[in-house]
Amino acid sequence: MATVANYANIFVRYDLIGSGAAKGAKVSSKDSAMQKVLQCVLEGDSDNIVDAVNEALATKDPMTVINEGLIKGMNEVSRLWDEGEYYLPQAIVASDAMLKGLDICEKKLGKALEKKGTVITHTAEGDIHDLGQKIVNALLRANGYNVIDLGKDVPVDEVVAAVKEHKPVMVTGTALMTTTMTAFERISKRLVKDNFQVPFVCGGGAVSLEYVTGYDLGVFGKDASEAPGMASDAVNGLNWTQLREKWNS
Ligand code: B12
């Protein structure tokens, strides 16, 4: 009967954190603190990301840490997944580390006191990929918007009901899967039918400009950093066709 000679090998194999999982990574930063943030996301190191982000925040503003550390790291995780280098476990620990880092940056960004308007955000029905939505939430809050965060995997009915109840200046949707993005079109149809002409900004890896501009109300959001500017335009009275013209052409 085969016996295990060295149990340590088993634990090493399944211990992803700090295992050098990020070896194949092609992103780096000349700034040593930012490099640590990148490394923590890539290695899914939730223990050390707090110190790394705080160190980076000592010399950089939260937006830079989000863009140059957290999002850049997560985009590299996406590439490594697509290349077949990373699997579900690595993506899970990387996401957890990124969210922990985002939380610190969000607190540092703070919340503007004066509320400019209400925005409803959600991640599409059937979809649990909510990192993009969480970044959108943080940036909108920091810019003074009252964010009603419906969370992830939100049924179409729930989004429609929330719009009717809260009458937001803008709604956002995030979808990372080709199977879930179709929920956006269903939401749009339901809102139009009931005469709600609210701009519906849709983003996330699965959607494209062509797809989102194929249904009424849809405005394509390429990058989370666009969300506050779009909300500001909506508060200033731009309707969804004008928003589309300004941001999508
Ligand atoms: C991390 C990840 C996960 C994590 C998610 C953790 C979390 N809390 O989000 C975990 C490990 C849980 C996971 C699970 C699964 N995943 Co996954 N996952 C990924 C991965 C590696 C990265 C996605 C990511 O977070 N990117 C970083 C974020 C920040 O990007 P983003 O959301 O697109 O946001 C950016 C922009 O799009 C934009 N944006 C987004 N929303 C909005 C909104 C507005 C208003 C604006 C203006 C902008 C904007 O701003 C952001 C940048 O600033 C991708 C690979 C890839 N190539 O994308 C696969 C991927 C998305 N996953 C995939 C799959 C299949 C799954 C699973 C089904 C796997 C499984 N067999 O169980 C499950 C999903 C279960 C479910 N029902 O949802 C597929 C989807 C394929 C498809 N086309 O349908 C992908 C593409 C991998 C692949 N190539 O196969 N996954």
Side-chain angles (χ1 to χ4, degrees), residues 78 81-82 92 95 126 128-131 174 176-178 204-205 223-224:
S78 302
W81 173 310
D82 291 341
I92 290 172
S95 309
I128 60 163
H129 296 93
D130 62 354
L131 301 187
T174 296
L176 272 285
M177 300 202 293
T178 42
D223 199 286

